Amino acid sequence: MSGHLPVMLAEVLRMLSPKDGEHYVDGTFGGGGYTRAILEAADCRVLGIDRDPDAIARGQELVRHFAGRLTLVHGEFSNLETYLDGAQTDGVVLDLGASSFQFDEPARGFSFRDSGPLDMRMSRQGPSAADFVNSADARDIARVIAQLGEEHNAHRIARAIVARRPVATTGELAQIVKDAQGPAAARLAIHPATRTFQALRIHVNDELGELERGLEAAAGALAPLGRLVVVSFHSLEDRIVKRFLTARATIAPLGSRHAPVARRAQPAAFRLLTHRPLMPGATEVEGNPRARSARLRAAERLAA
């Protein structure tokens, strides 16, 4: 399998620490990079989950290669407890966001690099990005772009989208956003449509809601001393992971007389393995620019 380089693979393996006889969940199977490395690192078993049917189809080669040790499920990682059927697992790894396969295939509609249908659906089911931008009012479009893309010009962009719809392709949308940004867009360090595309992708796939549900599911499925490893790619994701782990960890943030520490609402469930997020090294970023924004956080499940 090729086309997708697993981000921070060495760090993921170090944090997950696969062992013979144990069981792991790769909640975002994608190109199978983490799964292959886990199965090669120890005589263990892996449950791979992905809501993209294309990823599951590509993964059948790995299923045959690791006969009896790899099971693939088409679905959302928030349902991992259902897929485990009551069993516990020794580790869960999540690599958030879209995969390189999705970005690199214009027909999936994730990227403005090569124009394609404005789709962005990881599962190929439900309303597409085109359905949203062509039916929502300007206020809702602006809200999504502002909140999920952290785009300062969200209202201007939303009005431009409404004025020029129907919008059918990624190329059309990218041009509309670029025009709405005006001459100042030329001075941006990134393409002027980057934040808008990020926002629409997160909205279409409910990525933040899936992450919140998935973290709760992982906490429920991990065996004592099982490890949770999450690689995120933007501040919205990392903030959710940080807050989730910090609220359930043995070491809470220090308070002050202005902001005293709130009483813990529930017993500690995790020991933090990373008090600050790990980031990819310069060599990895040079070889895989998509890794540049990655942040890795990990924690170990405490005994009940």
Side-chain angles (χ1 to χ4, degrees), residues 19-30:
K19 295 179 177 60
D20 292 352
E22 294 198 337
H23 180 277
Y24 300 93
V25 173
D26 182 350
T28 48
F29 177 76

Side-chain angles (χ1 to χ4, degrees), residues 56-269:
I56 299 301
R58 283 193 304 269
Q60 297 310 310
E61 179 183 338
L62 276 186
V63 172
R64 289 188 290 272
H65 182 76
F66 293 102
R69 297 173 56 201
L70 170 60
T71 301
L72 293 184
V73 174
H74 176 220
E76 298 177 330
F77 58 74
S78 58
N79 294 322
L80 69 90
E81 290 180 285
T82 300
Y83 305 142
L84 288 169
D85 195 21
Q88 290 188 309
T89 187
D90 299 293
V92 176
V93 59
L94 303 175
D95 175 8
L96 306 175
S99 73
S100 294
F101 290 104
Q102 292 162 338
F103 279 125
D104 292 342
E105 188 178 338
R108 301 298 305 270
F110 283 89
S111 172
F112 46 75
R113 187 178 58 193
D114 297 304
S115 187
L118 186 56
D119 193 309
M120 299 192 186
R121 295 174 299 175
M122 293 178 176
S123 65
R124 294 185 179 272
Q125 297 177 338
S128 68
D131 292 331
F132 175 67
V133 301
N134 289 321
S135 62
D137 61 33
R139 180 180 301 179
D140 276 349
I141 296 173
R143 175 184 55 79
V144 167
I145 296 174
Q147 292 181 358
L148 303 182
E150 299 179 307
E151 170 60 67
H152 297 306
N153 296 321
H155 288 278
R156 188 193 308 169
I157 293 169
R159 289 194 297 272
I161 290 173
V162 170
R164 292 170 63 176
R165 59 190 185 189
V167 185
T169 70
T170 58
E172 292 173 17
L173 179 62
Q175 189 61 51
I176 291 170
V177 176
K178 184 178 180 181
D179 292 346
Q181 299 267 29
R187 296 193 294 272
L188 296 175
I190 57 175
H191 188 286
T194 298
R195 294 190 181 93
T196 298
F197 271 65
Q198 171 188 301
L200 292 176
R201 191 201 78 221
I202 293 172
H203 174 72
V204 166
N205 296 290
D206 187 23
E207 292 180 27
L208 301 186
E210 172 66 3
L211 173 57
E212 291 173 342
R213 295 187 293 274
L215 292 172
E216 293 286 356
L222 280 170
L225 304 183
R227 293 186 167 190
L228 173 61
V229 182
V230 185
V231 179
S232 61
F233 291 87
H234 55 76
S235 59
L236 299 174
E237 293 172 340
D238 184 56
R239 196 175 302 146
I240 290 173
V241 178
K242 177 183 177 182
R243 288 176 176 172
F244 177 87
L245 292 178
T246 301
R248 293 161 178 77
T250 51
I251 300 177
L254 296 176
S256 71
R257 62 190 178 92
H258 301 294
V261 176
R263 182 181 296 277
R264 187 185 297 281
Q266 52 192 330

